[in-house]
Amino acid sequence: MISERRLAILNLIIEHYLRTGEPMGSKTLCQLLPYSVSSATIRNEMAHLSELGYLEQRHTSGGRVPSKASYRYYVDRLMEPCSLSNYNKQRIDEVLSVNSGDPERLFADAARLIAQYTHCTGFCCAIEDSLDCIQGVDLIPAGNSKAMLVMLTVGSKIKSSLINISCPLDDDFRFLFYEVMNRLFIGTPLTEVNLSLIQRSVLIAKERVFDLLPILTSLCSLCSEASQSRLILEGETNLLSHEELGNEVYKILSFLADKEKMIDFSKLFAASNAKRAMFIGDENPLYEMKNTSTIISKFTYGNNQTATLGMIGSTRIDYKHIIPCVEYIFNTVDRLLAGNH
């Protein structure tokens, strides 16, 4: 057990450091505590907190700063979360409602909001699903020998592509297009849409297969894109303003640029039993993230599709404001996804 006085001292040191980035000495603490305590007593209390692993002293004559372990203690037991204003709640609701029917765009909007409101990095990752298949395909004339190919998957992914068409989009061509789609592509797993399937369309389209070829190859490309995990990062450069990261920020940015590692991290979390988690410092499962605080949430939607959404910042972030904000965005996304069922 940590005494009430030591908790008060720890809380003051942590909040001062989160706000200013500066260590706090015993004289300053004497002035801030609501009761009279000598500097010597405070130094003894700080020494005890250091022995427990909650404070660090960078210089012999300097004040104390929080350790990574103290941030976890602060978040779990000391922090008093600040309420998000009604204005910000309304603004978040408005932004997220725009693409509420398209989960991938909804997650991208949410990641952008997280980066904007936290001044950290926001991310989202749609996890690949080997069972996802084509639910519908449409061809929309776009003028000047062009058409928009739109594909919807059972997992609520929407993909589109603008393609060049070498023949008129008349009723005969559109009938042939929908016949090929219905007989060969609708209901087919995304991972099975390939050149072999395109070649089978010759049996249906016969000599007109060459007119269909630009559409079929584009559809194959859309299926390949939709079948893979997709990571979106927002506000990576926000980390450059986190001075406490020092030169480590470039290692973190390099790590984030290798999206496969973040995708693997998202897959690992999505496969766990946890719905949400916050990793502070050494709690992070990835070595490259040991100097960060990472908040992540898992979402299930559509036909058992899975995605993650989260935030990455330094360990010295404004927890009492950031955590409620990120949680509100998580909850809003959850609510909007539930409304689509």
Side-chain angles (χ1 to χ4, degrees):
M1 287 288 292
I2 303 178
S3 69
E4 183 177 339
R5 184 166 64 193
R6 287 170 183 165
L7 288 178
I9 290 172
L10 180 61
N11 188 57
L12 285 170
I13 291 174
I14 292 174
E15 294 202 336
H16 174 80
Y17 185 71
L18 292 178
R19 188 172 61 254
T20 67
E22 298 293 330
M24 179 175 275
S26 57
K27 290 183 179 180
T28 306
L29 276 166
C30 283
Q31 299 170 358
L32 294 176
L33 286 171
Y35 36 77
S36 178
V37 184
S38 69
S39 293
T41 300
I42 289 179
R43 284 194 293 271
N44 288 335
E45 300 287 39
M46 292 166 73
H48 182 81
L49 288 168
S50 296
E51 290 173 4
L52 293 175
Y54 292 127
L55 294 180
E56 296 173 349
Q57 191 172 21
R58 294 176 177 172
H59 307 289
T60 305
S61 59
R64 307 298 170 106
V65 298
S67 66
K68 293 177 184 177
S70 72
Y71 291 133
R72 169 55 64 190
Y73 195 93
Y74 173 75
V75 168
D76 291 346
R77 304 188 187 186
L78 299 177
M79 182 185 75
E80 295 183 5
C82 295
S83 299
L84 196 64
S85 70
N86 289 332
Y87 171 80
N88 284 328
K89 287 180 180 179
Q90 183 179 354
R91 186 173 181 278
I92 289 170
D93 291 345
E94 289 173 352
V95 171
L96 294 180
S97 65
V98 172
N99 289 309
S100 60
D102 184 341
E104 284 198 324
R105 290 183 177 177
L106 172 62
F107 287 123
D109 289 343
R112 197 172 303 114
L113 281 175
I114 287 173
Q116 178 184 340
Y117 275 88
T118 67
H119 304 292
C120 297
T121 297
F123 70 89
C124 62
C125 183
I127 308 298
E128 64 193 51
D129 174 19
S130 60
L131 300 179
D132 197 8
C133 56
I134 299 175
Q135 179 172 313
V137 186
D138 203 358
L139 192 65
I140 305 170
N144 296 324
S145 301
K146 294 184 183 295
M148 179 69 74
L149 181 67
V150 182
M151 177 190 71
L152 172 66
T153 77
V154 171
S156 301
K157 291 186 173 69
I158 301 172
K159 300 292 179 182
S160 62
S161 177
L162 187 65
I163 53 181
N164 293 313
I165 302 294
S166 58
C167 64
L169 286 178
D170 52 24
D171 290 343
D172 288 341
F173 182 80
R174 290 175 66 82
F175 178 83
L176 177 62
F177 165 76
Y178 289 119
E179 183 181 9
V180 171
M181 291 299 107
N182 288 325
R183 289 176 61 178
L184 293 180
F185 292 91
I186 303 299
T188 300
L190 301 177
T191 53
E192 295 180 15
V193 177
N194 49 35
L195 182 60
S196 175
L197 192 61
I198 291 177
Q199 290 173 340
R200 288 172 55 191
S201 64
V202 176
L203 300 176
I204 303 171
K206 297 183 172 56
E207 69 276 0
R208 298 214 64 181
V209 70
F210 295 104
D211 294 331
L212 281 174
L213 199 55
I215 299 172
L216 299 180
T217 54
S218 180
L219 179 60
C220 189
S221 177
L222 292 181
C223 289
S224 175
E225 179 185 341
S227 67
Q228 300 173 18
S229 297
R230 182 177 179 230
L231 176 76
I232 295 176
L233 293 167
E234 295 286 349
E236 302 99 297
T237 55
N238 286 343
L239 296 178
L240 293 171
S241 64
H242 295 214
E243 297 176 359
E244 60 283 357
L245 289 175
N247 291 331
E248 284 293 316
V249 68
Y250 300 107
K251 295 180 183 179
I252 295 171
L253 290 174
S254 177
F255 165 76
L256 293 178
D258 183 0
K259 292 190 174 183
E260 287 304 315
K261 291 183 179 179
M262 276 299 294
I263 289 175
D264 289 342
F265 170 64
S266 292
K267 287 181 180 178
L268 185 67
F269 185 78
S272 72
N273 293 325
K275 165 68 175 174
R276 293 179 185 174
M278 181 172 192
F279 303 107
I280 302 176
D282 295 335
E283 297 171 358
N284 274 284
L286 299 174
Y287 173 78
E288 295 88 345
M289 307 282 278
K290 296 298 184 183
N291 289 315
T292 73
S293 287
T294 304
I295 307 175
I296 185 170
S297 182
K298 174 171 60 180
F299 299 85
T300 303
Y301 60 97
N303 187 33
N304 291 321
Q305 306 301 303
T306 307
T308 59
L309 176 66
M311 183 221 79
I312 301 168
S314 70
T315 53
R316 189 177 75 84
I317 57 174
D318 187 358
Y319 293 98
K320 62 166 58 178
H321 284 94
I322 284 177
I323 291 176
C325 179
V326 172
E327 286 184 344
Y328 186 82
I329 292 173
F330 286 167
N331 291 337
T332 304
V333 171
D334 254 336
R335 174 171 54 79
L336 291 171
L337 289 173
N340 293 331
H341 292 170

